[in-house]
């Protein structure tokens, strides 16, 4: 039975990878719907027509995402060269500190930073050479937004549609599994967005107080990285420390490291348990395995979708265990 389930899952993953241009917008639309559904429900309760409410919700998210995207892009563009130069100096200082100046270690560091600098410095030419990729991404984004509109508008009929697709005897179980999976994704998206915003605000404030160059750009990286649990925080925090080390010295770099660690500790011990207390909480090891699997299957898109997909899977397993566990057995937990 386990082998059969594993085979079906493997075939499903391969089909999704083969149909990535169509599957990715659907998955992104589901994530967007999970995040925006509370706003749509509020508008519907305020006696707004469902279609109008869905349109207003999409327009609001388009304005917010567009404005935030513009602000993040401007912050990164304005500070990208400064961040790259700071990272270059930080790596060279580390190489000198460990006696690696002029050796292969420094050469590799220079090559890596040269590649990073070319990536940031040739953005304009990259737009021309990568216009096909940009158009494809734009098309998927537009399709995802349209799907969000339809998912929101017809969310009240989702349960009946799902029940009509399965045998009558298992309709209740399938509906309960789908609801629990969606609740897991919904909680993950809401909680991650709140935590990402708080992390970015506090870390950016700390960087500004310590007068670290490129603070706004680094804060934007922190916000984006928060959607990739653990790995995103590690990468963004490392970048902030290296920039501080290069431009402000070891003492300020240690202060930045302290700020990053304090914010991450508050996130892990207070913010996430408080914000996501009603959702499926996963062990860090499970998240890291999910991120690795997502990256191997679908690259950066797989990394972004791995954790919410795992949250949905845990929700389904939790529902099944709740329904079919022997009486008297305590409900299962997804994490410590």
């Amino acid at each position: 039975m386990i082998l059969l389930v594993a085979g079906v899952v493997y075939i499903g993953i391969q089909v999704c990878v083969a149909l990535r241009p169509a599957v990715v917008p659907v998955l992104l639309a589901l994530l967007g719907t999970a995040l925006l559904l509370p706003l749509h429900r509020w508008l519907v309760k305020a006696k707004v027509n469902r279609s109008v409410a869905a349109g207003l919700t999409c327009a609001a998210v388009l304005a917010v995402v567009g404005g935030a995207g513009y602000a993040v892009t401007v912050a990164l563009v304005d500070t990208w060269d400064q961040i790259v130069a700071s990272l270059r100096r930080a790596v060279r200082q580390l190489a000198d500190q460990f006696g690696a100046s002029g050796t292969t270690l420094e050469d590799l560091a220079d090559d890596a930073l040269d590649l990073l600098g070319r990536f940031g410095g040739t953005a304009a030419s990259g737009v021309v050479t990568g216009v096909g990729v940009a158009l494809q991404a734009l098309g998927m984004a537009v399709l995802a937004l349209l799907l969000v509109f339809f998912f929101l508008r017809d969310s009240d009929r989702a349960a009946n549609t799902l029940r009509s697709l399965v045998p009558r005897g298992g309709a209740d179980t399938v509906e309960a599994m789908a609801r629990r999976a969606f609740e897991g994704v919904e909680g993950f998206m809401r909680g991650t967005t709140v935590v990402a915003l708080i992390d970015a605000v506090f870390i950016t404030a700390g960087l500004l107080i310590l007068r670290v160059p490129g603070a706004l750009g680094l804060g934007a990286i922190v916000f984006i990285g928060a959607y990739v649990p653990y790995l995103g925080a590690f990468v963004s925090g490392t970048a902030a420390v290296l920039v501080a080390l290069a431009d402000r010295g070891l003492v300020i770099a240690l202060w930045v490291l302290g700020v990053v660690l304090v914010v991450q500790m508050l996130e892990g011990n207070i913010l996430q348990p408080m914000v996501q207390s009603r959702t499926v909480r996963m062990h860090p090891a499970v998240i890291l395995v999910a991120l690795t699997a997502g990256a191997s299957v679908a690259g950066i898109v797989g990394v972004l979708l791995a954790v919410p997909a795992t949250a949905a899977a845990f929700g389904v397993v939790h529902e099944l265990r709740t329904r079919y566990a022997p009486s008297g057995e305590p409900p299962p937990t997804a994490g410590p």
Side-chain angles (χ1 to χ4, degrees):
M1 181 64 180
I2 296 178
L3 292 177
L4 177 61
V5 173
V8 172
V9 171
Y10 176 79
I11 294 174
I13 292 175
Q14 294 302 317
V15 171
C16 291
V17 171
L19 301 177
R20 185 183 305 180
V23 173
V24 170
V26 174
L27 296 178
L28 293 178
L30 288 174
L31 296 182
T33 302
L35 182 62
L36 299 172
L37 194 56
L39 175 59
H40 181 262
R41 289 171 178 163
W42 180 80
L43 290 174
V44 171
K45 288 182 180 179
K47 307 302 181 182
V48 178
N49 179 271
R50 295 191 66 88
S51 297
V52 175
L56 291 175
T57 303
C58 291
V61 73
L62 188 61
V64 172
V65 171
Y70 175 79
V72 169
T73 301
V74 170
L76 289 176
V77 169
D78 289 344
T79 59
W80 183 258
D81 291 338
Q82 194 174 18
I83 292 174
V84 171
S86 300
L87 290 175
R88 186 190 301 275
R89 287 193 295 271
V91 173
R92 285 177 176 168
Q93 289 178 8
L94 291 175
D96 292 338
Q97 190 72 23
F98 289 99
S101 180
T103 63
T104 304
L105 175 61
E106 189 181 30
D107 293 338
L108 290 176
D110 285 339
D111 292 340
L113 288 171
D114 285 339
L115 178 62
L116 186 62
R118 287 197 298 269
F119 175 77
T122 59
S125 61
V127 170
V128 177
T129 58
V131 64
V133 176
L135 289 176
Q136 183 181 16
L138 179 62
M140 288 194 297
V142 172
L143 177 58
L145 184 63
L146 292 175
L147 290 175
V148 168
F149 170 81
F150 291 117
F151 289 168
L152 289 173
R153 189 192 67 178
D154 301 328
S155 58
D156 60 326
R157 291 183 281 180
N160 292 333
T161 302
L162 183 62
R163 294 177 69 93
S164 67
L165 298 176
V166 298
R168 182 172 301 177
D172 292 338
T173 301
V174 172
E175 180 183 351
M177 291 166 54
R179 287 185 183 277
R180 186 60 67 93
F182 189 78
E183 288 173 0
V185 176
E186 188 176 13
F188 170 81
M189 291 300 297
R190 287 204 311 265
T192 300
T193 301
V194 173
V195 171
L197 183 60
I198 294 175
D199 283 357
V201 169
F202 277 100
I203 291 180
T204 302
L207 296 176
L208 290 173
I209 293 173
L210 295 171
R211 292 184 296 173
V212 175
L216 294 179
L218 292 170
I221 295 175
V222 170
F223 180 81
I224 296 172
Y227 284 91
V228 184
Y230 301 107
L231 293 181
F234 174 78
V235 172
S236 59
T238 301
V241 172
L242 289 176
V243 170
L245 176 64
D247 280 272
R248 301 284 290 146
L250 179 61
V251 175
I252 298 298
L254 292 176
W255 275 101
V256 171
L257 178 61
V259 170
V260 172
L261 291 178
V262 168
V263 171
Q264 295 302 323
M265 289 177 61
L266 290 176
E267 172 194 330
N269 296 301
I270 298 177
L271 293 179
Q272 282 190 346
M274 181 173 62
V275 173
Q276 298 181 335
S277 59
R278 300 181 61 185
T279 64
V280 178
R281 296 178 59 196
M282 294 173 286
H283 193 279
V286 175
I287 294 178
L288 293 177
V289 171
L291 291 174
T292 303
S296 63
V297 171
I300 186 63
V301 176
V303 172
L304 294 175
L305 297 176
V307 179
T310 305
F314 267 105
V316 172
V317 172
H318 189 280
E319 180 63 28
L320 291 175
R321 289 282 301 277
T322 302
R323 284 177 170 267
Y324 298 110
S327 59
E329 181 178 330
T333 58

